[in-house]
Coordinates of all heavy atoms in Angstrom, one line a residue:
M1 N 12.9 -11.0 3.5 CA 13.9 -10.6 4.4 C 13.1 -10.2 5.7 O 13.7 -10.4 6.8 CB 14.6 -9.4 4.0 CG 15.7 -8.9 4.9 SD 17.1 -7.9 4.1 CE 16.2 -6.4 3.8
T2 N 11.9 -9.7 5.6 CA 11.0 -9.3 6.8 C 10.8 -10.6 7.6 O 11.0 -10.5 8.8 CB 9.8 -8.7 6.3 OG1 10.0 -7.6 5.5 CG2 8.8 -8.3 7.5
R3 N 10.4 -11.7 6.9 CA 10.1 -12.9 7.7 C 11.4 -13.4 8.4 O 11.3 -13.9 9.5 CB 9.6 -13.9 6.8 CG 8.1 -13.6 6.3 CD 7.7 -14.7 5.4 NE 6.3 -14.5 4.9 CZ 5.7 -15.1 4.2 NH1 6.2 -16.1 3.7 NH2 4.5 -14.8 3.7
H4 N 12.5 -13.4 7.7 CA 13.7 -14.0 8.3 C 14.1 -13.1 9.5 O 14.5 -13.7 10.6 CB 14.8 -13.8 7.2 CG 16.2 -14.2 7.8 ND1 16.5 -15.6 8.0 CD2 17.3 -13.5 8.1 CE1 17.7 -15.7 8.5 NE2 18.2 -14.4 8.7
A5 N 14.1 -11.8 9.3 CA 14.4 -10.9 10.5 C 13.4 -11.1 11.7 O 13.8 -11.1 12.9 CB 14.4 -9.5 10.1
A6 N 12.2 -11.3 11.3 CA 11.2 -11.6 12.4 C 11.4 -12.8 13.1 O 11.3 -12.8 14.3 CB 9.8 -11.6 11.7
Q7 N 11.8 -13.8 12.4 CA 12.1 -15.1 13.1 C 13.5 -15.0 13.9 O 13.5 -15.4 15.1 CB 12.5 -16.2 12.0 CG 11.2 -16.6 11.4 CD 11.6 -17.6 10.3 OE1 12.6 -17.9 9.8 NE2 10.3 -18.4 9.8
W8 N 14.4 -14.3 13.4 CA 15.7 -14.1 14.2 C 15.5 -13.3 15.4 O 16.1 -13.6 16.5 CB 16.6 -13.4 13.1 CG 18.1 -13.2 13.8 CD1 18.5 -12.1 14.3 CD2 19.0 -14.2 13.9 NE1 19.8 -12.3 14.8 CE2 20.1 -13.7 14.6 CE3 19.2 -15.7 13.7 CZ2 21.3 -14.3 14.9 CZ3 20.3 -16.3 14.0 CH2 21.4 -15.6 14.6
F9 N 14.8 -12.1 15.3 CA 14.7 -11.2 16.5 C 13.6 -11.6 17.3 O 13.6 -10.9 18.4 CB 14.6 -9.8 16.0 CG 15.8 -9.3 15.4 CD1 15.9 -9.0 14.1 CD2 17.0 -9.1 16.1 CE1 17.1 -8.6 13.4 CE2 18.1 -8.6 15.6 CZ 18.2 -8.3 14.2
A10 N 12.8 -12.5 17.0 CA 11.7 -12.9 18.1 C 12.3 -13.4 19.4 O 11.7 -13.1 20.3 CB 10.9 -13.9 17.5
Q11 N 13.4 -14.0 19.3 CA 14.0 -14.5 20.6 C 14.3 -13.4 21.6 O 14.5 -13.5 22.8 CB 15.3 -15.2 20.2 CG 16.4 -14.5 19.6 CD 17.5 -15.3 19.3 OE1 18.0 -16.4 19.9 NE2 18.2 -15.1 18.2
Y12 N 14.5 -12.0 21.0 CA 14.8 -10.9 21.7 C 13.4 -10.1 22.0 O 13.6 -9.0 22.5 CB 15.8 -10.1 21.1 CG 17.0 -10.8 20.8 CD1 17.4 -11.1 19.5 CD2 18.0 -11.2 21.9 CE1 18.6 -11.8 19.3 CE2 19.1 -11.8 21.6 CZ 19.4 -12.2 20.3 OH 20.6 -12.9 20.0
H13 N 12.3 -10.6 21.6 CA 11.0 -9.9 21.8 C 10.9 -8.7 20.9 O 10.3 -7.7 21.3 CB 10.7 -9.7 23.3 CG 10.7 -10.9 24.2 ND1 9.7 -11.8 24.2 CD2 11.8 -11.3 25.0 CE1 10.2 -12.9 25.0 NE2 11.3 -12.5 25.5
I14 N 11.5 -8.8 19.7 CA 11.5 -7.7 18.8 C 10.6 -8.1 17.6 O 11.0 -9.1 17.0 CB 12.9 -7.4 18.3 CG1 13.7 -6.7 19.5 CG2 12.8 -6.3 17.2 CD1 15.3 -6.6 19.2
R15 N 9.6 -7.2 17.4 CA 8.7 -7.6 16.2 C 9.3 -6.9 15.0 O 10.0 -5.7 15.0 CB 7.3 -7.1 16.4 CG 6.7 -7.8 17.6 CD 5.3 -7.2 17.9 NE 5.4 -5.9 18.5 CZ 4.9 -4.8 17.9 NH1 4.2 -5.0 16.8 NH2 4.9 -3.6 18.6
V16 N 9.3 -7.5 13.9 CA 9.7 -6.9 12.5 C 8.6 -7.1 11.5 O 8.0 -8.1 11.2 CB 11.0 -7.6 12.0 CG1 11.3 -7.0 10.8 CG2 12.1 -7.6 13.1
N17 N 8.2 -5.8 11.0 CA 7.2 -5.8 10.0 C 7.6 -4.8 8.9 O 8.5 -4.0 9.2 CB 5.9 -5.5 10.6 CG 5.2 -6.4 11.6 OD1 4.8 -7.5 11.2 ND2 5.3 -6.1 12.9
N18 N 7.0 -4.8 7.8 CA 7.4 -4.0 6.7 C 6.2 -3.3 6.1 O 5.1 -3.9 6.0 CB 8.1 -4.9 5.6 CG 8.5 -4.1 4.4 OD1 8.9 -3.0 4.5 ND2 8.3 -4.8 3.2
I19 N 6.4 -2.0 5.6 CA 5.2 -1.3 5.0 C 5.7 -1.1 3.5 O 6.7 -0.4 3.4 CB 5.0 0.0 5.8 CG1 4.3 -0.3 7.1 CG2 3.9 0.9 4.9 CD1 3.9 0.8 7.9
N20 N 5.0 -1.4 2.6 CA 5.1 -1.2 1.2 C 4.2 -0.2 0.6 O 3.1 -0.5 0.4 CB 5.0 -2.5 0.4 CG 5.9 -3.6 0.9 OD1 7.1 -3.4 1.1 ND2 5.4 -4.7 1.1
P21 N 4.5 1.1 0.6 CA 3.6 2.2 0.1 C 3.6 2.2 -1.5 O 4.5 1.8 -2.3 CB 4.3 3.4 0.6 CG 5.7 3.2 0.7 CD 5.8 1.6 1.0
G22 N 2.5 2.7 -1.9 CA 2.3 2.9 -3.4 C 2.5 4.3 -3.6 O 3.2 5.0 -2.8
P23 N 2.0 5.0 -4.6 CA 2.1 6.3 -4.9 C 1.4 7.2 -3.9 O 0.2 6.9 -3.6 CB 1.4 6.5 -6.4 CG 0.5 5.4 -6.4 CD 1.2 4.3 -5.7
I24 N 2.2 8.0 -3.2 CA 1.6 8.8 -2.1 C 2.0 10.4 -2.5 O 3.2 10.6 -2.8 CB 2.3 8.4 -0.8 CG1 2.1 7.0 -0.4 CG2 1.8 9.4 0.5 CD1 0.6 6.6 -0.3
F25 N 0.9 11.1 -2.3 CA 1.2 12.5 -2.7 C 1.7 13.2 -1.5 O 1.2 13.3 -0.4 CB -0.1 13.3 -3.0 CG 0.1 14.8 -3.4 CD1 0.6 15.1 -4.5 CD2 -0.3 15.7 -2.5 CE1 0.9 16.4 -4.8 CE2 -0.1 17.1 -2.8 CZ 0.4 17.4 -4.0
T26 N 3.1 13.7 -1.6 CA 3.8 14.2 -0.5 C 4.4 15.7 -1.0 O 4.3 15.9 -2.1 CB 4.8 13.3 0.0 OG1 5.8 13.2 -1.1 CG2 4.4 12.0 0.4
G27 N 5.0 16.3 -0.1 CA 5.7 17.6 -0.5 C 6.8 17.3 -1.5 O 7.0 18.1 -2.4
M28 N 7.5 16.2 -1.5 CA 8.6 16.0 -2.3 C 8.0 15.7 -3.8 O 8.6 16.2 -4.7 CB 9.2 14.7 -2.0 CG 10.6 14.4 -2.8 SD 11.5 13.1 -2.0 CE 10.7 11.6 -2.6
V29 N 6.8 15.2 -3.9 CA 6.1 15.1 -5.0 C 5.7 16.5 -5.6 O 6.0 16.7 -6.9 CB 4.8 14.2 -5.0 CG1 4.0 14.1 -6.3 CG2 5.2 12.8 -4.7
K30 N 5.2 17.3 -4.7 CA 4.9 18.6 -5.1 C 6.1 19.4 -5.7 O 5.9 20.1 -6.6 CB 4.3 19.3 -4.0 CG 3.5 20.6 -4.3 CD 2.5 21.1 -3.2 CE 1.8 22.2 -3.7 NZ 0.8 22.7 -2.6
E31 N 7.2 19.2 -5.1 CA 8.5 19.9 -5.6 C 8.8 19.5 -6.9 O 9.6 20.2 -7.5 CB 9.6 19.7 -4.6 CG 9.5 20.4 -3.2 CD 10.6 19.9 -2.3 OE1 11.5 19.2 -2.6 OE2 10.4 20.4 -1.1
S32 N 8.5 18.2 -7.3 CA 8.8 17.7 -8.7 C 7.8 18.4 -9.8 O 8.0 18.1 -10.9 CB 8.7 16.2 -8.7 OG 7.3 15.7 -8.7
G33 N 6.7 19.1 -9.3 CA 6.0 19.7 -10.3 C 4.6 19.1 -10.4 O 3.8 19.8 -11.1
I34 N 4.3 18.2 -9.7 CA 2.9 17.7 -9.5 C 2.2 18.5 -8.4 O 2.5 18.4 -7.3 CB 2.8 16.2 -9.3 CG1 3.6 15.5 -10.4 CG2 1.3 15.7 -9.2 CD1 3.8 13.9 -10.3
E35 N 1.2 19.3 -8.8 CA 0.6 20.2 -7.9 C -0.5 19.6 -6.9 O -0.8 20.3 -5.9 CB 0.1 21.3 -8.7 CG 1.1 22.2 -9.3 CD 2.0 22.9 -8.3 OE1 1.6 23.4 -7.3 OE2 3.3 23.0 -8.6
S36 N -1.1 18.6 -7.2 CA -2.2 18.1 -6.4 C -2.3 16.5 -6.4 O -1.7 15.9 -7.3 CB -3.5 18.6 -6.9 OG -3.9 18.1 -8.0
Q37 N -3.0 16.0 -5.4 CA -3.3 14.7 -5.3 C -4.0 14.1 -6.5 O -3.8 13.2 -7.1 CB -4.0 14.1 -4.1 CG -4.3 12.8 -3.8 CD -5.1 12.4 -2.7 OE1 -5.7 13.3 -2.0 NE2 -5.1 11.2 -2.3
A38 N -5.0 15.0 -7.1 CA -5.7 14.6 -8.2 C -4.9 14.6 -9.5 O -5.0 13.6 -10.3 CB -6.8 15.6 -8.5
A39 N -3.9 15.6 -9.7 CA -3.0 15.4 -10.8 C -2.1 14.1 -10.7 O -1.9 13.5 -11.7 CB -2.2 16.7 -10.7
M40 N -1.6 13.9 -9.5 CA -0.8 12.7 -9.3 C -1.7 11.4 -9.7 O -1.3 10.4 -10.3 CB -0.4 12.5 -8.0 CG 0.7 11.4 -7.8 SD 1.3 11.4 -6.2 CE 2.4 9.9 -6.2
G41 N -2.9 11.4 -9.1 CA -3.8 10.3 -9.5 C -4.0 10.1 -11.0 O -4.1 9.0 -11.3
E42 N -4.2 11.2 -11.7 CA -4.3 11.1 -13.2 C -3.2 10.2 -13.8 O -3.3 9.6 -14.7 CB -4.4 12.4 -13.8 CG -5.9 13.0 -13.7 CD -7.0 12.2 -14.2 OE1 -6.8 11.7 -15.4 OE2 -8.0 12.0 -13.5
L43 N -2.0 10.4 -13.2 CA -0.8 9.7 -13.7 C -1.0 8.2 -13.5 O -0.3 7.3 -14.3 CB 0.4 10.1 -13.2 CG 0.8 11.6 -13.3 CD1 2.0 12.0 -12.5 CD2 1.2 11.8 -14.8
H44 N -1.7 7.7 -12.5 CA -1.8 6.2 -12.1 C -3.2 5.8 -12.4 O -3.4 4.6 -12.1 CB -1.5 6.2 -10.6 CG -0.2 6.6 -10.3 ND1 0.2 7.8 -9.8 CD2 1.1 5.8 -10.3 CE1 1.6 7.8 -9.7 NE2 2.0 6.6 -10.0
K45 N -4.1 6.6 -12.9 CA -5.4 6.1 -13.4 C -5.2 4.9 -14.3 O -4.6 5.0 -15.4 CB -6.2 7.2 -14.0 CG -7.7 6.9 -14.0 CD -8.4 8.3 -14.3 CE -9.9 8.1 -14.2 NZ -10.7 9.2 -14.4
G46 N -6.0 3.9 -14.1 CA -6.0 2.7 -15.0 C -4.9 1.6 -14.5 O -4.9 0.6 -14.9
K47 N -4.1 2.2 -13.6 CA -3.1 1.2 -13.0 C -3.4 0.9 -11.5 O -2.9 -0.1 -11.0 CB -1.7 1.8 -13.1 CG -1.2 2.2 -14.5 CD 0.0 2.9 -14.4 CE 0.4 3.4 -15.9 NZ 1.3 4.6 -15.9
I48 N -4.2 1.7 -11.0 CA -4.4 1.5 -9.5 C -6.1 1.5 -9.5 O -6.7 2.3 -10.1 CB -3.9 2.8 -8.7 CG1 -2.4 2.6 -8.7 CG2 -4.5 2.7 -7.2 CD1 -1.8 3.7 -8.0
N49 N -6.5 0.5 -8.6 CA -7.9 0.2 -8.6 C -8.7 1.3 -7.8 O -9.8 1.6 -8.3 CB -8.2 -1.2 -7.9 CG -7.5 -2.3 -8.7 OD1 -7.2 -2.1 -9.8 ND2 -7.4 -3.3 -8.0
L50 N -8.3 1.7 -6.7 CA -9.0 2.5 -5.7 C -8.8 4.2 -6.1 O -7.7 4.5 -6.0 CB -8.7 2.2 -4.4 CG -9.0 0.8 -3.8 CD1 -8.5 0.7 -2.5 CD2 -10.4 0.6 -3.9
P51 N -9.9 4.8 -6.4 CA -9.8 6.3 -6.4 C -9.4 6.8 -5.1 O -9.7 6.1 -4.1 CB -11.1 6.7 -6.8 CG -12.0 5.5 -6.9 CD -11.3 4.3 -6.6
P52 N -8.8 7.8 -4.9 CA -8.3 8.8 -5.9 C -6.9 8.4 -6.5 O -6.4 9.3 -7.1 CB -8.1 10.1 -5.0 CG -7.7 9.5 -3.7 CD -8.4 8.3 -3.5
Y53 N -6.6 7.2 -6.6 CA -5.5 6.7 -7.4 C -4.1 7.2 -6.8 O -3.1 6.7 -7.5 CB -5.6 7.0 -8.8 CG -6.9 6.7 -9.4 CD1 -7.8 7.6 -9.8 CD2 -7.3 5.3 -9.5 CE1 -9.1 7.2 -10.3 CE2 -8.6 5.0 -10.0 CZ -9.5 5.9 -10.3 OH -10.7 5.5 -10.8
A54 N -4.1 8.0 -5.9 CA -2.8 8.4 -5.2 C -3.1 8.6 -3.7 O -4.1 9.2 -3.4 CB -2.2 9.6 -5.7
G55 N -2.4 8.1 -2.9 CA -2.6 8.1 -1.4 C -2.1 9.4 -0.8 O -1.5 10.2 -1.4
E56 N -2.5 9.6 0.4 CA -2.0 10.7 1.3 C -1.1 10.2 2.4 O -1.0 9.0 2.6 CB -3.2 11.3 2.0 CG -4.2 11.8 1.1 CD -5.4 12.3 1.9 OE1 -5.5 12.1 3.0 OE2 -6.3 12.9 1.1
A57 N -0.2 11.0 2.8 CA 0.8 10.6 3.8 C 0.1 9.9 5.1 O 0.7 9.0 5.6 CB 1.6 11.8 4.4
D58 N -1.0 10.3 5.5 CA -1.8 9.6 6.5 C -2.1 8.3 6.3 O -2.1 7.5 7.2 CB -3.1 10.4 6.8 CG -2.8 11.7 7.6 OD1 -1.7 12.1 8.0 OD2 -3.9 12.6 7.7
D59 N -2.3 7.9 5.1 CA -2.5 6.5 4.7 C -1.4 5.6 5.2 O -1.6 4.5 5.7 CB -2.8 6.3 3.2 CG -4.0 7.1 2.7 OD1 -5.1 7.1 3.6 OD2 -4.0 7.6 1.8
I60 N -0.1 6.0 5.1 CA 1.0 5.3 5.4 C 1.3 5.5 6.9 O 1.6 4.6 7.7 CB 2.3 5.7 4.7 CG1 2.0 5.6 3.2 CG2 3.4 5.0 5.1 CD1 1.5 4.2 2.7
G61 N 1.1 6.8 7.5 CA 1.4 7.1 8.8 C 0.5 6.3 9.8 O 1.1 5.9 10.9
Y62 N -0.7 6.1 9.4 CA -1.6 5.4 10.4 C -1.1 3.9 10.6 O -1.2 3.2 11.5 CB -3.0 5.4 10.0 CG -3.6 6.8 10.3 CD1 -4.3 7.4 9.3 CD2 -3.5 7.2 11.5 CE1 -4.9 8.7 9.6 CE2 -4.1 8.6 11.8 CZ -4.9 9.2 10.8 OH -5.3 10.5 11.1
A63 N -0.5 3.5 9.5 CA 0.0 2.0 9.5 C 1.1 1.9 10.4 O 1.3 1.0 11.3 CB 0.4 1.5 8.1
F64 N 2.0 3.0 10.4 CA 3.1 3.1 11.4 C 2.7 3.1 12.8 O 3.2 2.6 13.6 CB 4.1 4.2 10.9 CG 5.1 3.8 10.0 CD1 4.9 4.4 8.6 CD2 6.2 3.1 10.2 CE1 5.9 4.1 7.6 CE2 7.1 2.7 9.0 CZ 6.9 3.3 7.9
V65 N 1.6 4.0 13.0 CA 1.1 4.2 14.3 C 0.7 2.8 14.9 O 0.9 2.5 16.0 CB 0.0 5.2 14.4 CG1 -0.8 5.2 15.6 CG2 0.6 6.6 14.1
Y66 N -0.2 2.1 14.0 CA -0.6 0.8 14.4 C 0.6 -0.2 14.7 O 0.5 -0.9 15.9 CB -1.4 0.1 13.3 CG -1.7 -1.3 13.5 CD1 -2.7 -1.7 14.5 CD2 -1.2 -2.3 12.8 CE1 -2.9 -3.0 14.8 CE2 -1.4 -3.6 13.0 CZ -2.3 -3.9 14.0 OH -2.6 -5.3 14.2
L67 N 1.5 -0.2 13.9 CA 2.7 -1.1 14.2 C 3.5 -0.8 15.4 O 4.0 -1.6 16.0 CB 3.7 -1.2 13.0 CG 3.0 -2.0 11.7 CD1 4.0 -1.9 10.6 CD2 2.7 -3.4 12.0
A68 N 3.6 0.5 15.7 CA 4.3 1.0 16.9 C 3.5 0.8 18.1 O 4.1 1.0 19.3 CB 4.6 2.5 16.8
S69 N 2.2 0.6 18.1 CA 1.3 0.5 19.3 C 1.3 -1.0 19.8 O 1.7 -1.9 19.1 CB -0.1 1.0 18.8 OG -0.8 -0.1 18.1
D70 N 0.7 -1.0 20.9 CA 0.5 -2.4 21.6 C -0.5 -3.2 20.8 O -0.8 -4.4 21.1 CB 0.1 -2.3 23.0 CG 1.3 -1.9 23.9 OD1 2.5 -2.1 23.4 OD2 1.2 -1.3 25.0
E71 N -1.4 -2.5 20.0 CA -2.5 -3.1 19.4 C -1.9 -4.2 18.4 O -2.6 -5.2 18.0 CB -3.3 -2.1 18.5 CG -4.0 -1.1 19.4 CD -4.9 -1.6 20.4 OE1 -5.6 -2.5 20.1 OE2 -4.9 -1.2 21.5
S72 N -0.7 -4.1 18.0 CA -0.1 -4.9 17.0 C 0.9 -5.9 17.8 O 1.9 -6.5 17.0 CB 0.6 -4.2 15.9 OG 1.7 -3.5 16.4
K73 N 0.8 -6.1 19.1 CA 1.7 -6.8 19.8 C 1.9 -8.4 19.4 O 2.9 -9.0 19.6 CB 1.4 -6.8 21.3 CG 0.0 -7.5 21.6 CD -0.3 -7.4 23.1 CE -1.6 -8.2 23.4 NZ -2.7 -7.3 23.3
F74 N 1.0 -8.9 18.7 CA 1.1 -10.3 18.2 C 1.3 -10.3 16.7 O 1.0 -11.3 16.1 CB -0.3 -10.9 18.6 CG -0.2 -12.5 18.6 CD1 0.7 -13.2 19.4 CD2 -1.0 -13.3 17.8 CE1 0.8 -14.5 19.4 CE2 -0.8 -14.7 17.9 CZ 0.0 -15.3 18.6
M75 N 1.9 -9.3 16.0 CA 2.0 -9.3 14.7 C 3.6 -9.1 14.4 O 4.2 -8.2 14.9 CB 1.4 -8.1 14.2 CG 1.5 -7.8 12.6 SD 0.4 -6.4 12.2 CE 0.6 -6.6 10.5
T76 N 4.1 -10.2 13.7 CA 5.5 -9.9 13.2 C 5.8 -10.8 12.0 O 4.9 -11.7 11.5 CB 6.5 -10.6 14.3 OG1 7.7 -10.1 14.0 CG2 6.4 -12.0 14.5
G77 N 6.6 -10.3 11.1 CA 6.9 -11.0 9.9 C 5.8 -10.6 8.8 O 5.8 -11.3 7.7
A78 N 5.2 -9.4 8.9 CA 4.2 -9.1 7.9 C 4.6 -8.1 7.0 O 5.5 -7.2 7.4 CB 2.9 -8.7 8.7
D79 N 4.1 -8.1 5.8 CA 4.3 -7.0 4.8 C 2.9 -6.3 4.7 O 2.1 -7.0 4.1 CB 4.7 -7.6 3.4 CG 6.1 -8.0 3.6 OD1 7.0 -7.3 4.1 OD2 6.4 -9.2 3.2
L80 N 2.8 -5.0 5.0 CA 1.6 -4.3 4.8 C 1.7 -3.5 3.5 O 2.5 -2.7 3.4 CB 1.4 -3.3 5.9 CG 1.0 -3.8 7.3 CD1 0.8 -2.7 8.3 CD2 -0.3 -4.7 7.1
V81 N 0.9 -3.8 2.5 CA 0.9 -3.3 1.3 C -0.2 -2.3 1.3 O -1.4 -2.6 1.3 CB 0.7 -4.3 0.1 CG1 0.7 -3.5 -1.2 CG2 1.8 -5.4 0.2
I82 N 0.2 -0.9 1.1 CA -0.8 0.1 1.0 C -0.7 0.9 -0.2 O 0.2 1.9 -0.3 CB -0.5 1.0 2.4 CG1 -0.6 0.2 3.6 CG2 -1.6 2.1 2.5 CD1 -0.3 0.9 5.0
D83 N -1.2 0.4 -1.2 CA -0.8 1.0 -2.5 C -2.2 1.1 -3.4 O -2.2 1.3 -4.6 CB 0.1 0.0 -3.3 CG -0.4 -1.3 -3.6 OD1 -1.6 -1.7 -3.3 OD2 0.3 -2.1 -4.2
G84 N -3.4 1.1 -2.8 CA -4.5 1.2 -3.6 C -4.8 0.1 -4.5 O -5.7 0.3 -5.5
G85 N -4.2 -0.9 -4.5 CA -4.3 -2.1 -5.4 C -3.3 -2.2 -6.5 O -3.5 -3.1 -7.3
W86 N -2.4 -1.3 -6.6 CA -1.4 -1.4 -7.7 C -0.6 -2.6 -7.7 O -0.5 -3.2 -8.7 CB -0.4 -0.2 -7.3 CG 0.6 0.0 -8.5 CD1 0.7 -0.7 -9.6 CD2 1.5 1.2 -8.6 NE1 1.7 -0.1 -10.5 CE2 2.2 0.9 -9.8 CE3 1.9 2.1 -7.7 CZ2 3.2 1.8 -10.2 CZ3 2.9 3.0 -8.2 CH2 3.6 2.8 -9.4
S87 N -0.2 -3.3 -6.6 CA 0.6 -4.4 -6.5 C -0.4 -5.6 -7.0 O 0.3 -6.8 -7.3 CB 1.2 -4.8 -5.3 OG 0.2 -4.9 -4.3
T88 N -1.6 -5.6 -7.1 CA -2.4 -6.6 -7.5 C -2.3 -6.9 -9.1 O -2.8 -7.9 -9.6 CB -4.0 -6.5 -7.2 OG1 -4.5 -5.4 -7.9 CG2 -4.2 -6.3 -5.8
N89 N -1.6 -6.0 -9.8 CA -1.4 -6.0 -11.3 C -2.8 -6.4 -11.9 O -2.8 -7.0 -13.0 CB -0.5 -7.2 -11.6 CG 1.0 -6.7 -11.1 OD1 1.3 -5.5 -11.3 ND2 1.8 -7.6 -10.8
S90 N -3.9 -5.8 -11.4 CA -5.2 -6.1 -12.0 C -5.4 -4.9 -13.1 O -4.9 -3.8 -12.9 CB -6.3 -6.0 -11.0 OG -6.3 -4.8 -10.2
F91 N -6.0 -5.4 -14.1 CA -6.3 -4.5 -15.1 C -7.8 -4.0 -14.9 O -8.6 -4.8 -14.5 CB -6.0 -5.1 -16.5 CG -7.3 -5.2 -17.3 CD1 -7.7 -4.2 -18.3 CD2 -7.9 -6.5 -17.4 CE1 -8.8 -4.4 -19.0 CE2 -9.1 -6.6 -18.2 CZ -9.5 -5.6 -19.1
I92 N -8.1 -2.6 -15.2 CA -9.3 -2.2 -14.8 C -10.1 -2.1 -16.2 O -9.8 -1.3 -17.1 CB -9.2 -0.8 -14.2 CG1 -8.4 -0.9 -12.9 CG2 -10.6 -0.2 -13.9 CD1 -8.0 0.4 -12.3
P93 N -11.1 -3.0 -16.4 CA -11.8 -2.9 -17.6 C -12.6 -1.7 -17.9 O -13.2 -1.1 -16.8 CB -12.6 -4.1 -17.6 CG -12.9 -4.5 -16.1 CD -11.6 -4.0 -15.5
Q94 N -12.7 -1.3 -19.1 CA -13.5 -0.2 -19.4 C -15.1 -0.6 -19.4 O -16.0 0.2 -19.3 CB -13.3 0.5 -20.7 CG -11.9 1.0 -20.8 CD -11.6 2.0 -19.7 OE1 -12.4 2.9 -19.6 NE2 -10.5 2.0 -19.0
K95 N -15.2 -1.9 -19.7 CA -16.7 -2.5 -19.6 C -16.7 -3.5 -18.5 O -15.7 -4.1 -18.2 CB -17.1 -3.0 -20.9 CG -17.1 -1.9 -22.1 CD -17.5 -2.8 -23.4 CE -17.5 -1.8 -24.4 NZ -17.9 -2.4 -25.7
N96 N -17.9 -3.8 -18.0 CA -17.9 -4.8 -17.0 C -18.0 -6.2 -17.8 O -18.3 -6.2 -18.9 CB -19.1 -4.7 -16.1 CG -20.5 -4.8 -16.6 OD1 -20.7 -5.7 -17.5 ND2 -21.4 -4.0 -16.3
I97 N -17.8 -7.3 -17.0 CA -17.6 -8.6 -17.7 C -19.0 -9.0 -18.2 O -19.0 -9.7 -19.3 CB -17.3 -9.6 -16.7 CG1 -16.7 -10.9 -17.4 CG2 -18.1 -9.9 -15.6 CD1 -15.5 -10.9 -18.2
H98 N -20.1 -8.6 -17.8 CA -21.3 -9.0 -18.3 C -21.6 -8.5 -19.8 O -22.0 -9.1 -20.7 CB -22.5 -8.5 -17.5 CG -23.9 -8.9 -17.9 ND1 -24.4 -8.5 -19.1 CD2 -24.8 -9.7 -17.3 CE1 -25.7 -8.9 -19.2 NE2 -25.9 -9.6 -18.0
D99 N -21.1 -7.3 -19.9 CA -21.2 -6.6 -21.3 C -20.3 -7.2 -22.2 O -20.7 -7.5 -23.4 CB -20.9 -5.0 -21.2 CG -21.9 -4.2 -20.4 OD1 -23.0 -4.8 -20.3 OD2 -21.6 -3.2 -19.9
I100 N -19.1 -7.6 -21.8 CA -18.1 -8.2 -22.7 C -18.7 -9.6 -23.1 O -18.6 -10.1 -24.3 CB -16.8 -8.4 -22.0 CG1 -16.2 -7.0 -21.8 CG2 -15.8 -9.2 -22.7 CD1 -15.0 -7.0 -20.8
L101 N -19.3 -10.4 -22.2 CA -19.7 -11.7 -22.6 C -21.0 -11.8 -23.5 O -21.3 -12.8 -24.1 CB -20.0 -12.6 -21.3 CG -18.8 -12.9 -20.4 CD1 -19.3 -13.5 -19.2 CD2 -17.8 -13.7 -21.3
Q102 N -21.7 -10.6 -23.5 CA -23.0 -10.5 -24.3 C -22.7 -10.6 -25.8 O -23.5 -10.8 -26.6 CB -23.8 -9.4 -23.9 CG -24.4 -9.3 -22.6 CD -25.3 -10.4 -22.4 OE1 -26.1 -10.6 -23.3 NE2 -25.3 -11.1 -21.3
K103 N -21.4 -10.3 -26.2 CA -21.0 -10.3 -27.6 C -20.7 -11.5 -28.2 O -20.4 -12.4 -27.9 CB -19.9 -9.2 -27.9 CG -20.2 -7.8 -27.5 CD -19.1 -6.9 -27.8 CE -19.7 -5.4 -27.4 NZ -18.8 -4.4 -27.8

């Protein structure tokens, strides 16, 4: 949908981009009973590649600042995925590949 909208609105000099956030520690999360970014990260450990396994609001906010600025004037139809690697569906091995192949 982002690409379609970007193509359609380009004639009006309107850029269309999308931000796909992963788990982000916010006040709403805190209201649900998760008290810290570390506690939220523990819930996602093993599913997300990059520690601390849960992002901060600034991680998403800076992407919006970039897209709203003239620095992104030549960018349209993009999906920015800011999820610490969650969407890569990669599994995090407990051992490195070298140790696994030695057996």
Side-chain angles (χ1 to χ4, degrees):
M1 189 156 76
T2 303
R3 289 180 181 178
H4 176 77
Q7 289 175 344
W8 181 261
F9 289 108
Q11 63 185 325
Y12 304 109
H13 306 282
I14 297 172
R15 296 177 292 121
V16 179
N17 295 292
N18 181 39
I19 295 176
N20 300 311
I24 304 296
F25 183 71
T26 64
M28 189 166 82
V29 171
K30 197 168 184 174
E31 288 174 9
S32 74
I34 299 172
E35 292 296 322
S36 68
Q37 182 183 13
M40 185 177 178
E42 282 300 314
L43 296 173
H44 296 93
K45 198 169 187 174
K47 298 174 188 156
I48 295 179
N49 301 342
L50 296 175
Y53 310 113
E56 300 172 354
D58 284 351
D59 296 324
I60 306 304
Y62 287 128
F64 278 105
V65 169
Y66 170 70
L67 290 175
S69 74
D70 286 338
E71 301 301 321
S72 66
K73 66 180 179 271
F74 199 58
M75 182 176 182
T76 193
D79 291 309
L80 291 178
V81 180
I82 306 171
D83 67 358
W86 189 354
S87 61
T88 63
N89 287 326
S90 54
F91 114 88
I92 303 167
Q94 298 302 314
K95 297 180 180 180
N96 68 42
I97 193 70
H98 184 296
D99 293 338
I100 294 168
L101 293 175
Q102 290 298 320
K103 293 185 179 186

